[in-house]
Amino acid sequence: MTAVIEETPSAPAAKPARDHTPVVITLRIRRYLPDLVGPNGEPAVPFWQDFQVEADPTERILTAMHKIKGEQDGSLTFRRSCAHGICGSDAMRINGRNRLACKTLVKDLDVTKPITIEAIKGLEVEKDLVVDMDPFFQSFKDVMPFLITSGNEPTRERLQSPEDRERFDDTTKCILCACCTTSCPVFWTDGQYFGPAAIVNAHRFIFDSRDEGAEQRLEILNEKEGVWRCRTTFNCTDACPRGIEVTKAIQEVKRALIFRRV
Amino acid sequence: MSSTIENAPKIYGGGPSIEAPRSKRSPRSTKTNFELYSWLFMRLSGILLVVLVLGHLIIQLVIDGGVSRIGFAFVAGRWASPFWQTWDLIMLWLAELHGVNGLRTIINDYAERDQSRFWLKTLLYASALIVLFTGTLVIFTFDPNIGQ
């Protein structure tokens, strides 16, 4: 797995002993409680709430949030599943950057200031940090993220050379956390753009030598809401917690389209 | 629940399969390549415009006394040559279409309602037509003796 560049790079010459002195951090969380309607039935409005919590510098933000939910405010709502950076459930905007709460360590953030945590942008917030992921998964489904073949099925596994496998290795790492798509300014505008995650997963099959559905997928991504809306702002590449070169994958799909069509 | 032939779980990927008759592989879509061509046009016209516009600016503003020598006679002198007429014509069309295409994507991004999107684009295309028409007309019908 590729390492992600952290906010405060710590590159000491000699490896120092880990500092486990607990620090008190402030998490400034953007809350949205849909049941919190006004006295005259006004709809609930989001608000920022500060929580003070003691944390070991080597702990993750997710641990601190669990502490808040367990000890201070049980109504704090967020998704998490594996808590080890693989399930992709706990994507959130921490200090203005999309990341996984389970892969963000306290020591990598500036703890002298409140750490802001809010829901990922561009998708409808349902409660606190939980967003409606349906549009995101719909565009994922639209690119047909499964093996398409024709003819007889082989009686053994479909073999592939290491070089052919290497061609799409980067895009197999996607965990569908939505960090990339919800960091994309084009996706923010109207949510119609397929988004980086869907293109990454199309790329994974388009460049797979065993797959025969590349033409269909390219056709889908050639549409109005496809790859041509990408402005190469690299927000997706910066946001990806798996270190996938997302923008590069999108450019490769563009190149495939140009050299097949023109 | 006991497993019978009727409700036995279906096994996928087992034996050979026959494709449905007349099912086309990779159906040719009726969709156009418009977005592809507009994307390519932006890149190619951009490269050309760097040369055309920078050349234009240097000739007009820098060499031979710069901006102070520009007048009716200067323009008339340049447009007497088909080379500069072609230069200006290509620059006019590329710059206008490049700008229009850029604004088109911005309108697509930021106009929230279909109505505003439609009217903004109508305005944009109308202005482009006027600029392209009058600009082309001037280059082709320019009369250096108009004042006499």
Side-chain angles (χ1 to χ4, degrees):
Chain A
M1 205 191 313
T2 320
V4 174
I5 304 151
E6 293 300 346
E7 206 160 75
T8 46
S10 49
K15 209 176 177 184
R18 282 214 182 109
D19 183 11
H20 291 290
T21 323
V23 286
V24 175
I25 57 169
T26 306
L27 297 190
R28 181 165 289 171
I29 302 178
R30 191 163 192 262
R31 308 288 310 272
Y32 172 69
L33 301 166
D35 295 337
L36 209 68
V37 290
N40 301 320
E42 300 99 337
V45 282
F47 59 94
W48 292 91
Q49 189 176 357
D50 282 8
F51 295 98
Q52 306 256 320
V53 62
E54 198 175 78
D56 186 306
T58 60
E59 274 180 350
R60 303 152 313 161
I61 294 298
L62 184 67
T63 317
M65 293 177 71
H66 272 143
K67 234 180 239 181
I68 293 170
K69 188 171 172 70
E71 297 166 8
Q72 298 183 32
D73 187 346
S75 73
L76 180 66
T77 308
F78 52 91
R79 285 195 182 105
R80 65 103 182 82
S81 213
C82 77
H84 288 81
I86 281 298
C87 73
S89 301
D90 62 348
M92 45 192 83
R93 207 168 149 85
I94 301 170
N95 274 0
R97 231 192 80 179
N98 282 1
R99 4 181 171 208
L100 300 179
C102 60
K103 281 185 79 175
T104 309
L105 300 184
V106 171
K107 70 179 174 65
D108 294 328
L109 300 172
D110 182 3
V111 293
T112 58
K113 286 186 286 187
I115 296 160
T116 61
I117 299 176
E118 55 194 307
I120 44 178
K121 290 171 79 166
L123 295 165
E124 200 184 329
V125 180
E126 291 183 333
K127 187 176 182 183
D128 288 351
L129 302 169
V130 172
V131 297
D132 178 12
M133 297 282 279
D134 282 355
F136 173 76
F137 286 121
Q138 188 55 50
S139 58
F140 171 61
K141 289 173 192 160
D142 284 347
V143 299
M144 304 188 289
F146 41 81
L147 189 76
I148 298 175
T149 59
S150 63
N152 294 348
E153 303 226 350
T155 49
R156 45 187 289 196
E157 66 263 54
R158 299 168 196 273
L159 293 178
Q160 187 171 44
S161 71
E163 294 74 37
D164 284 346
R165 176 63 178 72
E166 185 60 32
R167 183 70 193 83
F168 61 94
D169 184 67
D170 201 34
T171 45
T172 60
K173 295 188 284 188
C174 178
I175 55 172
L176 293 171
C177 64
C179 274
C180 58
T181 296
T182 57
S183 71
C184 174
V186 179
F187 182 77
W188 292 339
T189 59
D190 60 2
Q192 297 303 304
Y193 173 46
F194 271 101
I199 300 171
V200 158
N201 284 282
H203 177 283
R204 184 249 169 273
F205 286 99
I206 289 170
F207 293 95
D208 187 337
S209 62
R210 299 163 297 186
D211 185 86
E212 292 168 26
E215 195 61 30
Q216 283 163 273
R217 294 194 185 88
L218 286 173
E219 198 66 63
I220 293 163
L221 293 177
N222 194 29
E223 281 173 28
K224 191 163 167 279
E225 306 298 344
V227 285
W228 307 116
R229 286 198 78 181
C230 168
R231 308 286 152 73
T232 37
T233 54
F234 283 90
N235 279 17
C236 47
T237 303
D238 286 344
C240 182
R242 305 299 314 266
I244 301 173
E245 293 176 288
V246 185
T247 314
K248 187 182 171 196
I250 300 174
Q251 295 302 94
E252 284 177 354
V253 173
K254 284 181 190 168
R255 193 180 305 155
L257 271 168
I258 289 172
F259 290 111
R260 271 158 191 259
R261 301 292 154 89
V262 180
Chain B
M1 196 170 72
S2 68
S3 204
T4 64
I5 292 291
E6 283 75 39
N7 66 5
K10 215 174 173 184
I11 300 162
Y12 292 96
S17 63
I18 298 168
E19 285 208 348
R22 277 183 292 141
S23 80
K24 287 181 213 145
R25 274 177 66 197
S26 61
R28 193 77 214 156
S29 170
T30 50
K31 307 250 165 38
T32 64
N33 284 335
F34 179 75
E35 294 295 330
L36 188 163
Y37 289 130
S38 84
W39 186 91
L40 261 185
F41 172 77
M42 280 315 252
R43 272 77 201 161
L44 299 177
S45 63
I47 295 167
L48 275 175
L49 279 170
V50 169
V51 178
L52 291 172
V53 173
L54 280 182
H56 178 81
L57 286 177
I58 290 166
I59 294 159
Q60 300 280 310
L61 306 177
V62 180
I63 55 173
D64 255 2
V67 70
S68 55
R69 79 210 144 101
I70 292 182
F72 186 86
F74 179 78
V75 175
R78 278 188 73 208
W79 275 355
S81 141
F83 176 80
W84 292 115
Q85 272 190 327
T86 318
W87 180 301
D88 282 0
L89 189 72
I90 295 172
M91 192 167 69
L92 168 75
W93 277 77
L94 286 184
E96 184 64 23
L97 293 178
H98 188 94
V100 163
N101 198 23
L103 276 173
R104 181 183 71 89
T105 54
I106 290 171
I107 293 171
N108 279 341
D109 274 0
Y110 290 101
E112 288 183 355
R113 289 177 302 133
D114 284 349
Q115 281 271 311
S116 45
R117 189 170 294 194
F118 172 79
W119 285 112
L120 283 171
K121 280 191 185 175
T122 307
L123 199 69
L124 176 68
Y125 297 147
S127 75
L129 281 179
I130 295 169
V131 170
L132 286 176
F133 176 75
T134 48
T136 311
L137 188 74
V138 167
I139 291 175
F140 279 119
T141 62
F142 179 75
D143 178 8
N145 307 315
I146 198 164
Q148 292 156 15

